[in-house]
Amino acid sequence: MAFPDPTWARLGFMEPPDFHNSGHNIGVVIIDKMKPHHTIRHLGDRIKYVTVENDLTINCNNIAFQSSGEVDEDVGEHGLMTILTLAHKPFFLEGKTHVGLSPAANFIVLDHGAFREGEGERLKYGMDWVLKQPNWNIKIILCTGWHASDNPVLLQKTHKNSTVQALNSAVQRGLMVICSNGNTRLGNIMPPIEYFTVGGFNDRGKAERHLHLPYPDEPFGKNGDGHFRPDILAPRVYLTLPFCESKEREEQVSYYWGTSGAATLVTGIAAYLFSKYPELDSKNLRSKLIENADPIEDYKNNAPRINVGNVIHSLEMQVNLKKANPCVSSVRIASHDHHSIESLDDIERGLALSKLVQQQIVTRQELWKYAEDESDVVRKIAVYALAKPEDEYERRLYWKRLSEESEGGVRGWYAHGLLQNTNESEVSKWIPCSTDSNWAVRWSVSEYLARYDDSFPQLEKTHDPDLIQEKASKVLQWLKKIQGFNVKKNRLENGL
């Protein structure tokens, strides 16, 4: 494809953010790992890398001047792409200016050792330390992996999450916590209502809004508290950056993908607006972003597309251009989980079933019953808990359910279960799934074929919905050829 339009244009900016002023004096905390790279040297002492050790020792380094040869190159690329989305230097492609959204801001990357025991305590300790530092003027916290080590499928109230507990003091101080909503429908848990939660849509790398489409397999719905998530949508494909990957390639640029990228775009917008309109607080900004966003027509996801041009116009004129859909109110959860399993509310049933699965007091027969529940939340939990087919009868049932199920996340768990204990003879069942809109299903096809790379062609995965069919064409053509060969062989063997 042609090079994508600059991200600032795709977000509704009328002109590129000013490299020297956008985000000026606004402190942004990014919870992530990060590697040093020559593309961030221009940030100088405006970027700090804070790490929290197991013994709660705090280290604060000027990562802008650190050599990339001093660290493992495979670690921290995600954080680097986040910083570059916000602050990369201007470059030009096909006559268009690409620049970070808030390059004049101050950045604090906080690495608390996520996904290790004690991560919640380290995050709280590190965040409290960061917020005490003078002159950093922290306004925004970007949290892309909020659920940390929690099981993403089993539902729970959000206040039980260690990240939510660790960031509670920051929320109470009125800071804007911006959070990504997740990349596939495999999961059930979604961020609390206190976080400004960002999902994604497929803008095809274009600023023209009539070309924009929903992203297939995009997660949305109610979290464990009964609140609809996400709040807003931003582009999640072809987010263009200076080339920064560890593996050398011929490409001139790198691309950031997913709702981590989408949430980073919203973070850049927030930093830009906080610096341009210092009277704004996080609550008012959040309202403005939602009220002035563009709905996607005929889409079950209530969250609208962000449009910073509308927001700026509203702030300048002090008028609201349109109202966004309100959040769904919280549900009341029964005090005893065994009562909630029969509730008419799908979130109550999901919470109850999650508890039964965690306590291992639900039978396999009951899980199969819940796998037919009308709620995709409950079906997802049930199929996840089934794990894999136990025998050939269940394996046939898995394939049948995969072909009949319409919800992407449930389909993903059926595919993942089938991937366990599979064999070469199932290739004619797997390859037709290579065009599935669900990432987890296509990933399972790719993993299946990779197990037999000496016998079968390989499927190249893609984050671009428009390329799914193209990437699958090689394996589909191979299957068609093999099936034709087998038909001819059978005819010859039967004397036809």
Side-chain angles (χ1 to χ4, degrees):
M1 62 171 288
F3 283 117
D5 292 333
T7 53
W8 57 264
R10 294 153 61 182
L11 294 167
F13 281 93
M14 294 298 104
E15 58 185 10
D18 187 275
F19 180 71
H20 300 288
N21 294 306
S22 179
H24 178 68
N25 200 38
I26 302 299
V28 180
V29 179
I30 299 165
I31 303 173
D32 209 339
K33 292 182 180 295
M34 183 182 171
K35 69 175 186 179
H37 198 265
H38 65 87
T39 52
I40 63 168
R41 288 176 185 161
H42 64 283
L43 293 175
D45 60 3
R46 288 192 294 108
I47 181 169
K48 309 292 184 185
Y49 190 43
V50 177
T51 56
V52 187
E53 306 299 335
N54 290 338
D55 62 358
L56 302 183
T57 301
I58 300 284
N59 296 312
C60 183
N61 299 317
N62 289 335
I63 193 172
F65 304 110
Q66 188 176 347
S67 168
S68 58
E70 299 175 24
V71 297
D72 184 346
E73 288 190 345
D74 293 329
V75 176
E77 195 168 274
H78 186 275
L80 174 61
M81 286 190 166
T82 298
I83 284 291
L84 288 175
T85 300
L86 297 170
H88 73 76
K89 295 176 70 173
F91 65 88
F92 302 91
L93 287 173
E94 298 181 346
K96 297 177 180 178
T97 301
H98 294 251
V99 66
L101 297 179
S102 53
N106 300 315
F107 302 100
I108 301 92
V109 181
L110 176 57
D111 176 6
H112 66 291
F115 305 105
R116 299 201 317 263
E117 184 178 353
E119 60 184 347
E121 181 184 13
R122 290 192 298 275
L123 179 57
K124 185 179 188 310
Y125 194 86
M127 185 58 67
D128 289 346
W129 184 88
V130 166
L131 295 179
K132 290 177 183 175
Q133 302 310 302
N135 306 320
W136 283 5
N137 193 32
I138 306 298
K139 293 285 189 179
I140 306 164
I141 299 171
L142 173 58
C143 182
T144 57
W146 79 278
H147 58 75
S149 296
D150 284 353
N151 184 299
V153 183
L154 301 182
L155 208 58
Q156 67 174 2
K157 304 303 286 293
T158 60
H159 70 83
K160 296 181 179 181
N161 175 267
S162 64
T163 299
V164 173
Q165 295 169 4
L167 298 184
N168 183 58
S169 61
V171 172
Q172 296 303 315
R173 289 178 55 165
L175 300 186
M176 190 174 194
V177 178
I178 299 177
C179 190
S180 56
N181 195 50
N183 288 333
T184 79
R185 293 191 62 80
L186 275 177
N188 274 327
I189 64 172
M190 287 181 272
I193 194 68
E194 291 81 10
Y195 295 1
F196 191 56
T197 302
V198 184
F201 67 95
N202 179 22
D203 74 344
R204 296 172 159 179
K206 299 296 184 182
E208 293 88 351
R209 295 198 159 237
H210 69 278
L211 299 175
H212 299 174
L213 296 169
Y215 192 88
D217 197 34
E218 182 71 18
F220 60 89
K222 290 183 286 186
N223 64 12
D225 306 323
H227 293 126
F228 183 86
R229 310 273 72 206
D231 295 294
I232 206 160
L233 306 178
R236 59 171 287 175
V237 302
Y238 295 113
L239 308 183
T240 311
L241 307 170
F243 186 81
C244 61
E245 295 162 66
S246 300
K247 296 180 181 179
E248 291 297 329
R249 298 178 184 174
E250 295 181 0
E251 286 86 345
Q252 295 176 259
V253 297
S254 292
Y255 294 122
Y256 200 7
W257 302 88
T259 54
S260 291
T264 302
L265 295 178
V266 174
T267 298
I269 289 172
Y272 167 87
L273 293 172
F274 277 139
S275 64
K276 185 176 177 65
Y277 304 98
E279 70 277 9
L280 279 176
D281 60 23
S282 61
K283 183 178 179 180
N284 290 334
L285 177 55
R286 177 172 174 161
S287 296
K288 286 291 184 183
L289 291 171
I290 295 174
E291 290 168 2
N292 296 291
D294 301 324
I296 297 180
E297 300 297 331
D298 301 319
Y299 187 29
K300 292 181 180 179
N301 187 347
N302 293 337
R305 293 169 294 164
I306 197 163
N307 189 330
V308 70
N310 285 354
V311 177
I312 293 171
H313 178 75
S314 175
L315 290 169
E316 294 289 345
M317 303 298 295
Q318 290 301 306
V319 296
N320 293 322
L321 302 183
K322 63 182 72 173
K323 294 291 184 181
N325 292 322
C327 293
V328 177
S329 61
S330 178
V331 298
R332 182 181 298 278
I333 305 302
S335 57
H336 300 292
D337 287 338
H338 65 275
H339 293 153
S340 299
I341 195 67
E342 302 298 332
S343 171
L344 296 178
D345 186 279
D346 61 338
I347 297 301
E348 289 192 0
R349 294 201 305 281
L351 288 165
L353 181 56
S354 296
K355 194 71 171 180
L356 294 174
V357 170
Q358 289 171 327
Q359 295 175 345
Q360 299 182 332
I361 55 176
V362 60
T363 67
R364 193 167 185 85
Q365 183 179 4
E366 289 171 326
L367 288 175
W368 276 112
K369 181 187 76 172
Y370 295 128
E372 298 183 75
D373 194 277
E374 65 180 16
S375 164
D376 58 79
V377 171
V378 176
R379 295 200 307 280
K380 216 176 292 182
I381 295 166
V383 179
Y384 162 80
L386 285 168
K388 64 180 181 179
E390 275 198 337
D391 50 36
E392 283 306 309
Y393 169 76
E394 283 198 356
R395 193 162 192 87
R396 290 193 296 273
L397 186 56
Y398 259 67
W399 280 113
K400 182 174 183 291
R401 293 286 180 85
L402 177 61
S403 66
E404 296 173 346
E405 175 64 54
S406 60
E407 204 283 326
V410 184
R411 299 189 76 254
W413 285 116
Y414 275 125
H416 187 267
L418 284 165
L419 189 59
Q420 319 306 312
N421 303 327
T422 192
N423 57 65
E424 288 185 70
S425 67
E426 290 187 323
V427 65
S428 63
K429 295 182 178 180
W430 279 106
I431 283 182
C433 296
S434 60
T435 59
D436 201 286
S437 62
N438 178 271
W439 169 266
V441 175
R442 297 198 311 279
W443 178 88
S444 295
V445 176
S446 177
E447 288 295 300
Y448 169 79
L449 294 173
R451 293 180 180 181
Y452 312 104
D453 57 350
D454 291 338
S455 305
F456 302 148
Q458 301 301 291
L459 174 65
E460 182 183 350
K461 298 185 292 291
T462 178
H463 296 284
D464 182 350
D466 294 334
L467 293 182
I468 291 174
Q469 191 71 38
E470 177 184 322
K471 299 299 183 183
S473 61
K474 176 182 175 182
V475 294
L476 290 170
Q477 290 170 6
W478 177 89
L479 179 62
K480 184 178 180 180
K481 181 179 179 181
I482 291 299
Q483 288 175 332
F485 173 79
N486 288 337
V487 169
K488 184 177 181 180
K489 179 181 178 183
N490 289 336
R491 286 177 175 175
L492 289 173
E493 290 175 348
N494 291 318
L496 298 176

